[in-house]
Amino acid sequence: MTTAASGAAAADREALGGPDDLARDAGPQRLSPWFGVAGLLLLATLLAAVFVQARQYTLLNTTVHFQDDYLVLSLYQVETEYLRLREQLRKEVEAPGSPALQLRYDIFISRVSMLGSDRARRLIGELEGDARSASGGGGVGTGVLQSLDNFTRRADLYLGSQTAAKLSPQAAGVLLADLETLDTPIHDMLQGASHRVAAQVTDRQAKVRHHNQIGLALTGFLLAMVAVFAGIALRQMRKLEQRRSRLETLADQLREARIEAEAASDSKSEFLADMSHELRTPLHGLLGMLALLRESPRDPHSAAWLLTADESAQHLQRLLDDILDLSKLNSGSLTLLPTPVDLLALLRETRSLLLPAASAKGLSLRIELDPTLGAQAQLDATRVRQVLFNLLANAIKFSDAGSIHLQCQRLPPEHGGPERLAFNVGDSGVGMDRETLARLFQRHSRSVESRSARLGGTGLGLAISRNLARLMDGEIVVRSSPGAGSVFSFRCPLHRVAGAAANVLPGSSAPTRPLQVLVAEDHPVNRMYLAALLARLGHAAVLVDDGLQALQAVQARAADSTDAPAFDLVLMDVHMPVMDGVAATLAIRALSTPASQVCIVAVTADVFADTLQRCQEAGVNEVLTKPLSLDGLRSMLANRFGSLPPLPAGVLQPAPAGLHDPSTPQSEAVPRLLDPATLHGVIDLMDSAQLNRLYGGFFVQAEDAARRMREAMRDADTEALRRCAHTVKGAALNLGLPALAEACALLNREAGTLAAAHLALAVQRFEEITAATRALCAGEGLLN
């Protein structure tokens, strides 16, 4: 695959023109210098054209504001009315009493008044100034306007709006004489204005013609520059198109190379997954056969041999799990599913997993929770537990005496960041020097070579733990020195859960009132067990068989109470017939308020990520995993409804010595037939008669499940086989029967992948473990 990829890459480089061409295409492209020169010339031409247009606009604007064309017309009208008035006065002298005289006078006065504007006065003043200059100081008398004004004052005595005397023929003759004196000044004024306007028009036309010539020249130059610029731009565009084509070819080649690389990575991941699956299938057969041999009569010395083989098989299984996790981390397919996590319960669960191994070496394993932390934090509990398991397992492995300390504390923010949560694992083991610390988290490295060779280990656990920590935006910090032990600190951001109170350790006051709890569980033994747990805590339980009955119960209670949810809490099994827990939760959330606001806690033995995600999307408030202990239920109720009540005496004490399979050494890693801690919690809940009914009902169900499993195998119905196994698994976990629960988990997990012979062996294994567990429970007094 590597050789083929290299050949393809070489062919790609040759097709694209070599590394120099690729570098030139990938880098910034320089523009042609002529492109800049043409652009500058084009810009200069545009500015010149704008300047010429502005000058032409200013010239025309000036003409509009100061043009005298229309004044000449007004002067012509004044002269015309002057002549008409003079002619009418002559008729008035000859034949007085004509009414047309008054009309002519009024029209004449209106024309004269047009000469009173600023523009008219300016023009007449310029004409008079020119006339005086031409005549050497003379001019148009004392001024045409003044002469006209004198005439109108005298004429207004007879023809004005308020006449002072009647116009007689003698007075008309006087006015005619005065009017005739204006003949020459008015004519000269009109002639001068005509000459001036003609000169202005000629000058304006010359300037407009000049600007038009400049504009045409600039337009021609502009067109030439546009043509040059367009040619350069087209040339540049062709270059860019060629470069784009080369880049597209390069992108196609890179895309193909990426696809090949991803295919190679997927092939590697698939190979690892296939290898793990292929090894896991015979491994489970090996473990099953070892368990059968261990429980059958055998040579007295074979116990140690079987124990060694069993430990090797368990080690191989852990190695395969590490390989799968490492593959997911490398491919980026490992995702986190943060949920509200009870920190105290998380520490206790982790301690219980490793307590047998620590006790076998005479080590004490202590846990400590910072009282300033909230009761819950938003974490991926599965991955946090995996990191802590690896750190604790290493601490136990490299410690021969002393104690192991698991501490959870709150760290203050650093550099303005968020608060941090620290899980510190301290041991009294051999410790490490600086050289060992430097290569501690490298894959396949070991902290102490000689001890690792004896104890086993590949170094994958710490590498996976650090990668998981970084996936959570955290880190693992190590402090150690030779002979003084080590402290591994797993630190991650602290995301508090809204409304979660501070941790209250056992011993505080109890809830203020009993709770009304609806339990939806299809397995009768699980219903009895959950009812007993709730009764022990002082709460009332309503039991239903499936999700549909749970929905109907919530609706019925809601009809009786509209002010608050009818139930305080719904404990909802996820996998149920008719309607499963996820569908029932969705239906309840779709009800009207307040029924839709009821607190729903899912209880399931299925801890797969997709199941947890489905629960969260459906509106589940919290997910509890089976087995559900009294302490775990108490913590959940305290977080949701109040502080923790006192624990009953003896609940946290070690189980009686007889409550375990005497044939199974305590240090073995395979599940025991009976789990002392869980079993003791169940015994503490009930009297003998209740225990007999509980365990007797469970084994009746288990034997019936075995019969249905056989029928499902005959019908090749793997889904029915899965359902039978899952039903028994949850009840077995609740009743403290881990070996039986593990046998069910195997069938539930791999019913569709195991070969027929292996599947039959797994069902046979389930039947044998059921019989052995029943016999042991009878010996412990749990059955009649």
Side-chain angles (χ1 to χ4, degrees), residues 136-198:
V140 196
T142 57
V144 176
L145 295 180
Q146 184 63 39
S147 299
L148 289 172
D149 186 63
N150 294 334
F151 171 76
T152 56
R153 281 201 300 270
R154 289 191 295 272
D156 283 343
L157 296 174
Y158 306 99
L159 301 174
S161 58
Q162 296 179 355
T163 57
K166 183 177 180 181
L167 182 66
S168 62
Q170 294 79 10
V174 174
L175 290 177
L176 177 61
D178 291 340
L179 189 60
E180 287 176 347
T181 61
L182 296 175
D183 186 41
T184 301
I186 291 176
H187 180 72
D188 292 341
M189 178 182 65
L190 178 60
Q191 188 176 11
S194 299
H195 289 308
R196 175 173 289 273
V197 169

Side-chain angles (χ1 to χ4, degrees), residues 494-536:
L494 173 58
H495 300 291
R496 298 182 181 272
V497 177
N503 272 295
V504 182
L505 297 179
S508 60
S509 60
T512 57
R513 64 178 179 86
L515 301 176
Q516 296 291 321
V517 183
L518 174 64
V519 178
E521 169 64 60
D522 62 321
H523 199 286
V525 174
N526 283 339
R527 290 198 300 273
M528 293 174 59
Y529 175 70
L530 291 174
L533 287 179
L534 292 168
R536 181 57 182 271

Side-chain angles (χ1 to χ4, degrees), residues 58-276:
T58 303
L59 174 63
L60 294 175
N61 190 50
T62 303
T63 302
V64 170
H65 283 83
F66 301 100
Q67 65 183 351
D68 298 324
D69 306 33
Y70 292 102
L71 289 176
V72 173
L73 178 60
S74 299
L75 292 176
Y76 273 112
Q77 292 175 347
V78 169
E79 185 182 24
T80 300
E81 295 303 325
Y82 161 77
L83 295 175
R84 289 176 178 175
L85 178 61
R86 187 183 66 177
E87 186 64 24
Q88 191 62 40
L89 279 174
R90 286 176 180 171
K91 293 180 180 180
E92 184 67 21
V93 172
E94 297 173 358
S98 175
L101 178 61
Q102 184 66 46
L103 177 60
R104 287 299 167 194
Y105 178 78
D106 293 337
I107 295 175
F108 175 76
I109 292 300
S110 64
R111 300 304 183 199
V112 170
S113 64
M114 295 174 61
L115 301 180
S117 63
D118 294 336
R119 183 178 298 175
R121 291 180 178 276
R122 175 187 58 78
L123 176 62
I124 295 172
E126 291 175 356
L127 292 174
E128 292 176 351
D130 294 341
R132 285 194 296 271
S133 300
S135 61
V140 196
T142 57
V144 176
L145 295 180
Q146 184 63 39
S147 299
L148 289 172
D149 186 63
N150 294 334
F151 171 76
T152 56
R153 281 201 300 270
R154 289 191 295 272
D156 283 343
L157 296 174
Y158 306 99
L159 301 174
S161 58
Q162 296 179 355
T163 57
K166 183 177 180 181
L167 182 66
S168 62
Q170 294 79 10
V174 174
L175 290 177
L176 177 61
D178 291 340
L179 189 60
E180 287 176 347
T181 61
L182 296 175
D183 186 41
T184 301
I186 291 176
H187 180 72
D188 292 341
M189 178 182 65
L190 178 60
Q191 188 176 11
S194 299
H195 289 308
R196 175 173 289 273
V197 169
Q200 289 178 351
V201 171
T202 301
D203 181 67
R204 183 167 68 246
Q205 289 177 346
K207 289 182 179 180
V208 170
R209 187 182 303 107
H210 179 67
H211 283 89
N212 286 337
Q213 292 172 351
I214 296 176
L216 289 173
L218 288 175
T219 301
F221 187 77
L222 184 62
L223 291 174
M225 288 295 99
V226 168
V228 173
F229 189 86
I232 298 174
L234 287 175
R235 182 171 177 272
Q236 193 70 19
M237 288 178 63
R238 283 196 297 269
K239 289 184 177 180
L240 291 176
E241 181 65 22
Q242 294 173 357
R243 178 172 178 262
R244 185 187 63 81
S245 179
R246 289 195 296 268
L247 288 177
E248 287 180 351
T249 304
L250 175 62
D252 292 338
Q253 300 295 342
L254 291 177
R255 190 181 301 109
E256 294 175 0
R258 178 179 61 82
I259 293 173
E260 291 178 0
E262 289 177 350
S265 178
D266 292 341
S267 298
K268 180 184 69 174
S269 300
E270 291 174 2
F271 168 76
L272 290 175
D274 292 341
M275 180 193 67
S276 174

Side-chain angles (χ1 to χ4, degrees), residues 189-490:
M189 178 182 65
L190 178 60
Q191 188 176 11
S194 299
H195 289 308
R196 175 173 289 273
V197 169
Q200 289 178 351
V201 171
T202 301
D203 181 67
R204 183 167 68 246
Q205 289 177 346
K207 289 182 179 180
V208 170
R209 187 182 303 107
H210 179 67
H211 283 89
N212 286 337
Q213 292 172 351
I214 296 176
L216 289 173
L218 288 175
T219 301
F221 187 77
L222 184 62
L223 291 174
M225 288 295 99
V226 168
V228 173
F229 189 86
I232 298 174
L234 287 175
R235 182 171 177 272
Q236 193 70 19
M237 288 178 63
R238 283 196 297 269
K239 289 184 177 180
L240 291 176
E241 181 65 22
Q242 294 173 357
R243 178 172 178 262
R244 185 187 63 81
S245 179
R246 289 195 296 268
L247 288 177
E248 287 180 351
T249 304
L250 175 62
D252 292 338
Q253 300 295 342
L254 291 177
R255 190 181 301 109
E256 294 175 0
R258 178 179 61 82
I259 293 173
E260 291 178 0
E262 289 177 350
S265 178
D266 292 341
S267 298
K268 180 184 69 174
S269 300
E270 291 174 2
F271 168 76
L272 290 175
D274 292 341
M275 180 193 67
S276 174
H277 177 72
E278 293 299 327
L279 290 176
R280 186 184 295 272
T281 299
L283 177 61
H284 280 296
L286 171 64
L287 293 175
M289 293 303 296
L290 287 174
L292 290 175
L293 289 173
R294 185 175 59 250
E295 296 173 13
S296 62
R298 56 185 180 270
D299 188 293
H301 298 287
S302 64
W305 305 337
L306 291 174
L307 176 61
T308 302
D310 214 4
E311 289 177 348
S312 299
Q314 292 293 335
H315 171 70
L316 180 58
Q317 185 172 8
R318 288 194 298 271
L319 175 60
L320 293 176
D321 291 337
D322 287 345
I323 292 174
L324 281 177
D325 286 339
L326 189 61
S327 174
K328 290 180 181 180
L329 287 168
N330 288 340
S331 64
S333 61
L334 187 64
T335 57
L336 300 177
L337 292 175
T339 58
V341 176
D342 187 311
L343 295 175
L344 184 58
L346 177 64
L347 296 182
R348 287 175 175 171
E349 291 171 5
T350 307
R351 178 181 181 272
S352 65
L353 289 174
L354 291 161
L355 185 58
S359 300
K361 298 186 68 172
L363 301 170
S364 64
L365 181 54
R366 298 180 291 110
I367 61 174
E368 179 183 347
L369 181 62
D370 188 345
T372 64
L373 280 170
Q376 293 182 326
Q378 196 80 7
L379 296 169
D380 187 329
T382 301
R383 297 305 172 185
V384 171
R385 190 182 297 109
Q386 183 178 356
V387 173
L388 297 181
F389 183 91
N390 285 334
L391 298 181
L392 285 171
N394 275 348
I396 293 171
K397 182 187 299 183
F398 295 107
S399 299
D400 293 329
S403 64
I404 310 295
H405 186 204
L406 172 59
Q407 179 191 37
C408 180
Q409 65 177 143
R410 180 182 63 85
L411 298 180
E414 287 186 355
H415 311 296
E419 289 184 305
R420 292 172 298 151
L421 186 63
F423 295 92
N424 302 320
V425 177
D427 63 62
S428 55
V430 296
M432 295 171 284
D433 55 20
R434 292 184 178 179
E435 181 181 354
T436 303
L437 287 174
R439 55 186 174 85
L440 182 62
F441 291 98
Q442 298 175 5
R443 297 175 190 170
H444 313 295
S445 68
R446 300 185 174 104
S447 60
V448 181
E449 292 295 338
S450 60
R451 292 178 59 84
S452 296
R454 177 167 57 88
L455 296 173
T458 62
L460 286 177
L462 286 178
I464 291 172
S465 297
R466 167 168 278 188
N467 287 338
L468 287 174
R470 290 175 175 174
L471 189 62
M472 302 178 205
D473 295 328
E475 187 56 274
I476 296 180
V477 180
V478 186
R479 302 192 310 272
S480 183
S481 58
S486 305
V487 176
F488 285 75
S489 180
F490 164 40

Side-chain angles (χ1 to χ4, degrees), residues 441-734:
F441 291 98
Q442 298 175 5
R443 297 175 190 170
H444 313 295
S445 68
R446 300 185 174 104
S447 60
V448 181
E449 292 295 338
S450 60
R451 292 178 59 84
S452 296
R454 177 167 57 88
L455 296 173
T458 62
L460 286 177
L462 286 178
I464 291 172
S465 297
R466 167 168 278 188
N467 287 338
L468 287 174
R470 290 175 175 174
L471 189 62
M472 302 178 205
D473 295 328
E475 187 56 274
I476 296 180
V477 180
V478 186
R479 302 192 310 272
S480 183
S481 58
S486 305
V487 176
F488 285 75
S489 180
F490 164 40
R491 303 171 180 178
C492 62
L494 173 58
H495 300 291
R496 298 182 181 272
V497 177
N503 272 295
V504 182
L505 297 179
S508 60
S509 60
T512 57
R513 64 178 179 86
L515 301 176
Q516 296 291 321
V517 183
L518 174 64
V519 178
E521 169 64 60
D522 62 321
H523 199 286
V525 174
N526 283 339
R527 290 198 300 273
M528 293 174 59
Y529 175 70
L530 291 174
L533 287 179
L534 292 168
R536 181 57 182 271
L537 296 175
H539 306 303
V542 176
L543 308 178
V544 295
D545 296 346
D546 54 58
L548 180 59
Q549 294 182 17
L551 173 62
Q552 293 171 347
V554 172
Q555 289 175 322
R557 285 289 184 95
D560 299 333
S561 175
T562 58
D563 297 332
F567 290 102
D568 299 291
L569 172 67
V570 177
L571 293 179
M572 184 79 73
D573 187 27
V574 174
H575 298 283
M576 292 184 291
V578 184
M579 178 183 286
D580 65 12
V582 174
T585 300
L586 287 170
I588 291 174
R589 294 303 185 214
L591 297 176
S592 58
T593 305
S596 62
Q597 304 301 317
V598 64
C599 178
I600 301 178
V601 174
V603 182
T604 180
D606 185 354
V607 294
F608 290 103
D610 58 342
T611 301
L612 299 179
Q613 184 175 0
R614 286 176 58 226
C615 291
Q616 292 176 356
E617 292 174 351
V620 167
N621 297 95
E622 188 173 345
V623 179
L624 297 181
T625 56
K626 298 176 181 178
L628 182 59
S629 64
L630 180 67
D631 189 36
L633 181 60
R634 185 196 307 270
S635 298
M636 185 274 292
L637 294 176
N639 293 334
R640 295 287 173 184
F641 302 101
S643 57
L644 288 168
L647 289 176
V651 171
L652 294 182
Q653 300 301 321
L659 295 181
H660 63 84
D661 182 1
S663 66
T664 305
Q666 292 295 315
S667 61
E668 285 193 36
V670 295
R672 292 167 293 180
L673 294 180
L674 299 182
D675 178 55
T678 304
L679 187 59
H680 184 69
V682 177
I683 294 174
D684 193 60
L685 289 174
M686 306 177 182
D687 55 26
S688 298
Q690 291 175 320
L691 285 174
N692 290 336
R693 287 196 300 272
L694 180 65
Y695 282 89
F698 168 77
F699 284 109
V700 170
Q701 294 287 335
E703 291 168 357
D704 181 66
R707 178 185 58 79
R708 287 186 281 118
M709 287 179 187
R710 291 290 181 185
E711 294 175 353
M713 279 198 306
R714 285 195 299 269
D715 298 337
D717 189 353
T718 57
E719 189 59 34
L721 196 151
R722 287 178 187 272
R723 288 196 301 268
C724 294
H726 178 78
T727 302
V728 177
K729 174 187 172 184
L733 289 172
N734 285 332

